Amino acid sequence: MGRLQDHHWFAGERLPTEIPGGGLYACSRCYLKFRSPTPEPELLRQLYDNAVTDTWSDVGSEREDWKRISELLRGRVSSDARILDYGCFTGGLLDSLGTDYERYGIEINRAAADLARKKDGLVVWEDLREAPASLRFQAIVLIDVIEHVVDPGVLLDQLLERLDADGLLIVSTGDADNRLWHRLRANWWYCFPPEHVAFISKRWLESYASRRKAVVLELTTFRYAQLSVRRLVTDLPLTLFFGIAPRAYLKLGYLWKRIMSRDGALVVRGVGLTEDHLVAVLKRPR
């Protein structure tokens, strides 16, 4: 589907050498879109386990996905339920749910996991294998994580097995079938971060459910960010500029950052222009 751009940044940390972008591919059988090649699993683990703890937003009031998932949990799960946040980072979502729930997290970044453990009542492991094998959850949430996983189906299999009989698996990620992504293909903003290696959609979830005997109870799409009219007007041309000429966009962008003495990774515009994310609710069949 096109060439992906090389990148100097990974999980909020600047790397001494660029990570090759590789290419974006689409499977004609299961509809997964994916990056290839990707770094080896052990290198990925090392890259994620850095000292940066502000890479991803931890402010619930500013995150549309947190709002939607909190509403789903409060509407579908009893207040004393056991909830696992796989990829909880510093524990912001779990903390926002309140102390009525039994709240657990999995976080590969040890610095972020340490911060999560300081929040009242949270139990956080660095790997799912550390959780007691007999422990089952009424809900598991997977927010902005599945796009970081080379084989999403294997992860969903593992998490579905950790649910109780009526437990729910709630997944939120980019929607690989949104309209602008179809047009811009490998130059869609969500493909730019090198951490993003696999991209699912409604078609992939339906294919996965039919093959693995899971049930998709609900699937909705939403805008990850609510943009002002001014942001819509300015971001659309920038998104199209990257979509048409990504190398020129990056050269000019990094030049501007040097002139303005700004640190940090370059942002590719596009978030919030369309319903670019999805929330899916899955369960095991009885």
Side-chain angles (χ1 to χ4, degrees):
M1 296 186 70
R3 181 185 182 277
L4 296 167
Q5 303 305 307
D6 302 339
H7 216 302
H8 266 297
W9 290 81
F10 192 100
E13 187 172 58
R14 183 174 175 83
L15 305 178
T17 57
E18 280 188 327
I19 293 180
L24 180 68
Y25 296 83
C27 176
S28 60
R29 296 181 64 187
C30 75
Y31 310 110
L32 182 70
K33 295 175 182 174
F34 58 94
R35 177 189 298 267
S36 183
T38 57
E40 292 298 317
E42 183 54 36
L43 176 57
L44 282 174
R45 175 173 286 275
Q46 294 172 13
L47 290 171
Y48 280 115
D49 189 16
N50 59 33
V52 183
T53 57
D54 60 354
T55 309
W56 293 282
S57 171
D58 205 13
V59 183
S61 62
E62 297 177 0
R63 293 193 54 159
E64 183 66 23
D65 52 351
W66 283 19
K67 295 176 188 176
R68 289 172 177 265
I69 288 169
S70 295
E71 290 171 2
L72 277 170
L73 289 171
R74 293 191 171 99
R76 289 177 173 263
V77 179
S78 63
S79 60
D80 59 348
R82 287 186 298 275
I83 295 176
L84 174 68
D85 184 356
Y86 188 96
C88 67
F89 204 49
T90 57
L93 173 68
L94 292 172
D95 191 45
S96 72
L97 294 175
T99 57
D100 289 339
Y101 296 107
E102 282 187 49
R103 296 160 299 156
Y104 302 85
I106 303 291
E107 179 50 53
I108 191 174
N109 182 310
R110 286 175 289 182
D114 287 342
L115 290 176
R117 292 187 186 104
K118 294 178 181 179
K119 293 182 167 67
D120 186 28
L122 302 194
V123 176
V124 179
W125 302 288
E126 292 171 18
D127 192 287
L128 185 61
R129 291 170 292 186
E130 296 177 16
S134 60
L135 191 61
R136 292 293 180 268
F137 303 94
Q138 282 72 55
I140 298 176
V141 297
L142 192 66
I143 306 172
D144 285 344
V145 171
I146 202 166
E147 67 271 17
H148 298 256
V149 179
V150 174
D151 193 333
V154 169
L155 177 59
L156 294 190
D157 287 348
Q158 294 170 346
L159 296 180
L160 286 168
E161 285 298 318
R162 302 307 296 262
L163 292 172
D164 71 7
D166 294 313
L168 302 177
L169 174 58
I170 303 174
V171 180
S172 178
T173 185
D175 175 19
D177 275 345
N178 80 75
R179 289 177 296 172
L180 270 180
W181 199 337
H182 273 304
R183 292 186 177 277
L184 301 182
R185 299 165 72 85
N187 297 332
W188 176 239
W189 74 272
Y190 204 67
C191 300
F192 180 58
E195 307 96 315
H196 291 185
V197 298
F199 311 99
I200 70 170
S201 60
K202 179 181 179 181
R203 291 188 300 166
W204 181 86
L205 283 165
E206 290 172 343
S207 172
Y208 166 82
S210 66
R211 288 180 286 112
R212 308 293 179 94
K213 295 183 180 179
V215 178
V216 180
L217 295 177
E218 183 178 329
L219 191 148
T220 57
T221 57
F222 67 97
R223 292 176 186 264
Y224 194 76
Q226 302 300 319
L227 303 182
S228 65
V229 174
R230 182 183 65 82
R231 278 286 306 276
L232 286 169
V233 170
T234 57
D235 283 14
L236 180 58
L238 290 172
T239 301
L240 296 177
F241 179 18
F242 182 77
I244 297 169
R247 292 186 181 181
Y249 179 103
L250 295 177
K251 285 182 180 179
L252 291 173
Y254 284 120
L255 176 61
W256 177 83
K257 287 177 73 69
R258 285 197 297 271
I259 292 171
M260 301 300 292
S261 299
R262 302 222 176 155
D263 296 326
L266 183 66
V267 174
V268 172
R269 300 295 182 181
V271 60
L273 290 177
T274 63
E275 291 192 350
D276 51 8
H277 273 61
L278 60 81
V279 172
V281 182
L282 295 84
K283 66 177 296 186
R284 292 184 296 165
R286 286 183 176 274

